[in-house]
């Protein structure tokens, strides 16, 4: 097995800058539909909860194509396990849940297959940004979008009402609200800058117009420290420096407690946030409201995603057509969408989900019946954000560089942290063998 730099052919180049496989995916998996009466068994690796119950609906209607769910850990462990199986030549599932940011890595390793011919014309059923995540700007389709994480703003409406604050529509208004809340109670914050959540910062940067990776001819481009992202970094650096927001990471016992005891009265989260709030701040149920993310330009609203994943067919599957048929059903069928939302507790990527599956607000927001109407607007993410083949390196650099910046409470250090991320990411790509422009 050796690394091979492949030539780029038009837009397909975005996916295949580098491969670690010895043969093409067309040589591995089967691409013939099962014959009538032929029994097919598929394995599906996923970390979404209760997905076995969701799949029961498929198995009941498709007795000739049985899908067995194999629950996995999410994130890097799932990717590592799949790549190990691909390299070994056996042991990979037919179908794999893949986070959007991991798809370039999986494509580069020839681990997931192009199923453009098998899934047909399902593109219209998904937001442009989600579809871009599974195509990487090419004609190839490396999965069908399963769920997305459009960002939203959650805030304690009782605190806002007490202080006479309106929900901020712009980032300037958010900053003003943060200052007013903290001035009234020095222990209370509207939010925190989290140096442990690179995906959160990436979503905020996407909203501002950034795309950290891209393609230029036969090379990758890296623009982590571009003007759009620096605008976001400088904004948060300023708020942290003046003490208007906290500088502690999210998802820590301290942050969890702050949500519950009222010292954190706002959260820039995502559509899946109600479950986080319910789990950490159950006693505050009924006091929160959800709205759109504050805007840089209220006249031209934009948004970003925090999280989300696709369902892909692996290159080791011997039943590519059957697997692709299941993948398309899982993410477009009305009954499947209902099960994804109600049983697996994910926010389906399909644009049809609001009408067919998301008819009641989450339990934690039962006092806000328009929750999913707001979420549907938030899901209209128009700025495509391209992930590169070494997201893990960039994200790790974010954690290190921004932890130091946040601790320093020096606004200038936030911009410098981006420069560190940029250099670290480019150096790693070049060292690994990728062609990087500039």
């Amino acid at each position: 097995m050796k690394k091979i730099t492949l030539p780029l052919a038009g837009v397909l180049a975005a996916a295949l800058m580098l491969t670690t496989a010895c043969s093409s995916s067309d040589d591995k998996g089967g691409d013939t539909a099962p014959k009538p009466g032929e029994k097919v068994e598929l394995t599906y690796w996923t970390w979404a909860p209760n997905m076995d119950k969701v799949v029961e609906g498929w198995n009941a209607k498709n007795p000739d194509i049985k899908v067995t769910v194999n629950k996995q850990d999410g994130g890097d462990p799932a990717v590592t396990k799949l790549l190990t199986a691909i390299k070994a030549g056996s042991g990979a599932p037919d179908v794999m849940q893949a986070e959007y940011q991991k798809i370039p890595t999986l494509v580069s390793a020839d681990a997931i297959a192009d199923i453009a011919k098998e899934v047909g014309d399902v593109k219209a059923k998904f937001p442009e940004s989600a579809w871009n995540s599974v195509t990487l700007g090419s004609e190839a389709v490396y999965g069908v979008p399963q769920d997305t994480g459009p960002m939203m703003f959650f805030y304690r409406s009782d605190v806002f009402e007490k202080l006479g604050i309106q929900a901020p529509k712009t980032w300037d208004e958010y900053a003003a609200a943060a200052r007013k809340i903290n001035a009234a109670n020095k222990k209370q914050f509207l939010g925190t800058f989290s140096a442990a959540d690179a995906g959160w910062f990436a979503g905020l940067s996407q909203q501002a117009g950034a795309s950290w990776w891209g393609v230029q001819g036969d090379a990758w481009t890296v623009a982590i420290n571009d003007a759009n992202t620096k605008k976001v970094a400088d904004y948060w650096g300023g708020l942290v420096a003046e003490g208007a927001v906290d500088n502690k990471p999210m998802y820590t016992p301290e942050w969890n407690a702050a949500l519950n005891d009222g010292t954190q009265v706002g959260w820039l989260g995502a559509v899946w946030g109600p479950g986080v709030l319910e789990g950490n701040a159950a006693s505050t149920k009924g006091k929160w409201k959800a709205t759109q993310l504050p805007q840089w330009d209220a006249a031209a609203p934009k948004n970003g995603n925090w999280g989300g994943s696709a369902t892909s067919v692996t290159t080791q599957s011997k039943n590519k057509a059957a697997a692709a048929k299941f993948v398309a059903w899982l993410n477009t069928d009305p009954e499947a969408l209902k099960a994804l939302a109600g049983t697996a507790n994910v926010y389906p990527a399909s644009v049809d989900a609001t009408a067919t599956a998301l008819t009641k607000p989450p339990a934690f927001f039962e006092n806000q019946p328009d929750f999913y109407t707001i979420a549907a607007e938030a899901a209209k993410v128009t700025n495509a954000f391209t992930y590169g083949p070494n997201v893990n390196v960039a994200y790790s650099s974010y954690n290190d560089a921004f932890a130091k910046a946040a601790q320093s409470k020096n606004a200038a250090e936030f911009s410098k942290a981006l420069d560190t991320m940029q250099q670290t990411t480019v150096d790693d790509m070049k060292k690994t063998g990728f062609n990087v422009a500039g």
Side-chain angles (χ1 to χ4, degrees), residues 151-152 171 174 191-206 212 232 236 246 248 250-251 267-270 272 293 304-307 395 398:
M151 296 192 74
M152 299 175 71
W171 286 112
Y174 177 92
T192 187
F193 179 84
S194 182
D197 291 281
W200 170 80
F201 187 77
L204 294 176
S205 300
Q206 179 183 16
W212 289 354
V232 177
W236 285 99
D246 202 0
K248 306 295 193 305
M250 296 183 285
Y251 295 103
W267 180 35
L268 297 162
W272 37 261
L293 213 61
N305 280 312
W306 182 11
Y395 279 19
Y398 169 89

Side-chain angles (χ1 to χ4, degrees), residues 166-303:
Q166 299 295 315
K169 290 183 169 39
T170 66
W171 286 112
D172 284 343
E173 291 178 3
Y174 177 92
R179 294 182 184 112
K180 188 170 184 177
I181 288 169
N182 187 249
N185 182 347
K186 286 300 180 182
K187 294 183 178 181
Q188 202 166 56
F189 296 98
L190 181 57
T192 187
F193 179 84
S194 182
D197 291 281
W200 170 80
F201 187 77
L204 294 176
S205 300
Q206 179 183 16
Q207 185 210 27
S211 180
W212 289 354
W213 287 270
V215 175
Q216 180 178 308
D218 63 350
W220 284 97
T221 60
V222 183
I224 295 173
N225 62 346
D226 74 335
N228 293 317
T229 308
K230 285 219 168 187
K231 177 171 66 174
V232 177
D234 290 342
Y235 174 85
W236 285 99
L239 289 179
V240 169
E242 67 178 274
V245 298
D246 202 0
N247 66 334
K248 306 295 193 305
M250 296 183 285
Y251 295 103
T252 63
E254 181 182 358
W255 182 76
N256 295 342
L259 290 175
N260 197 54
D261 66 21
T263 51
Q264 280 284 335
V265 298
W267 180 35
L268 297 162
V271 68
W272 37 261
V276 175
L277 293 172
E278 185 172 24
N280 295 313
S283 66
T284 64
K285 181 179 179 181
K287 297 179 180 180
W288 292 83
K289 289 283 181 142
T291 189
Q292 304 291 338
L293 213 61
Q295 298 293 318
W296 294 106
D297 180 359
K302 304 289 184 182
N303 202 13

Side-chain angles (χ1 to χ4, degrees), residues 44-48 51 69-73 95 97 146:
Y44 173 26
W45 286 4
T46 176
W47 58 85
M51 194 61 80
V69 172
N70 190 322
K71 188 72 178 292
Q72 302 290 316
D73 293 329
V95 180
Q97 182 180 353
Q146 176 177 294

